[in-house]
Amino acid sequence: MARAKSARSGAGALARSASQLLHRAQQLALDIYAEELGPAAVTQRQFALLTAVAAYEGATQSDLVRVTGIDRSTLADMAARMIGKGLLARERSTSDARANAVRLTPAGRAALEDAAPKVARADARLLKLLGEASRRQGLVGLLRDLVMAGEALQAPPPAKAAKVAPPRRRTTAPSRPASKRANAAGRPSAR
């Protein structure tokens, strides 16, 4: 009986850990997502990438990292796999020749259109667990605030104007003739 009660209470410290609770909530969200979309569907991250590419057609991979929150190497790997599946196409950016722009293919658009209502159902199922609408809206707002605050911490600081150091003042006496400069051994300095 104690074991069941402990599991329900979340084992004390774990029940008070925001990161642990977010992790468990994410697991629940992924389980509901998988039930709604099925095993052959795009993953939650792939859906996020498809949605971002649809909203920002021709965005660079760096832009998509900022929009989705998916780290650079993971996004590059995902994009490569989704290109291989025919969901995305990559080409040189017209605004930056060093960057790759990503766009949806017709198959990618179809996958997004197929998944979107199922993802909406998964989100609704997850939030329905909270009961009243104000709590659901509150949770989404808090999560958005948390993400935005974290992104603000990770943003590079604004560029500061470079300070130009004033010219250095000479603090030593002017050079003396070599005959007057001698080291302790009495030899002329090699200056």
Side-chain angles (χ1 to χ4, degrees):
M1 183 73 161
R3 185 181 304 236
K5 187 175 182 181
S6 173
R8 274 183 280 141
S9 69
L14 293 177
R16 293 183 302 275
S17 169
S19 58
Q20 175 63 16
L21 291 170
L22 283 169
H23 174 72
R24 296 211 35 207
Q26 180 186 23
Q27 287 178 313
L28 177 61
L30 289 171
D31 290 346
I32 292 172
Y33 181 94
E35 288 173 14
E36 286 293 333
L37 277 85
V42 294
T43 67
Q44 205 172 35
R45 280 186 168 180
Q46 289 172 335
F47 178 77
L49 182 55
L50 289 172
T51 302
V53 171
Y56 302 98
E57 191 77 30
T60 66
Q61 287 181 206
S62 294
D63 295 333
L64 294 169
V65 164
R66 283 188 293 278
V67 170
T68 63
I70 300 170
D71 69 85
R72 185 174 302 280
S73 60
T74 301
L75 190 133
D77 183 54
M78 280 177 52
R81 283 185 279 120
M82 293 172 78
I83 289 167
K85 291 179 180 178
L87 300 174
L88 296 175
R90 181 171 33 206
E91 55 211 22
R92 283 287 172 208
S93 170
T94 55
S95 61
D96 182 354
R98 299 168 297 168
N100 289 316
V102 182
R103 64 176 176 75
L104 288 177
T105 63
R109 191 164 307 282
L112 179 60
E113 289 170 1
D114 178 60
K118 297 173 187 175
V119 170
R121 281 197 308 268
D123 284 346
R125 274 183 61 192
L126 180 67
L127 291 173
K128 189 175 180 181
L129 296 173
L130 290 176
E132 60 189 72
S134 63
R135 290 182 72 196
R136 294 190 294 263
Q137 291 169 350
L139 174 65
V140 171
L142 288 172
L143 291 172
R144 187 179 308 112
D145 290 349
L146 182 61
V147 168
M148 290 174 65
E151 287 175 350
L153 286 176
Q154 294 175 350
K160 293 183 179 178
K163 283 189 174 179
V164 177
R168 292 181 58 175
R169 298 176 81 188
R170 186 176 207 152
T171 57
T172 58
S175 185
R176 294 179 283 176
S179 61
K180 300 223 180 194
R181 287 183 302 207
N183 64 17
R187 292 187 300 254
S189 168
R191 256 176 121 172

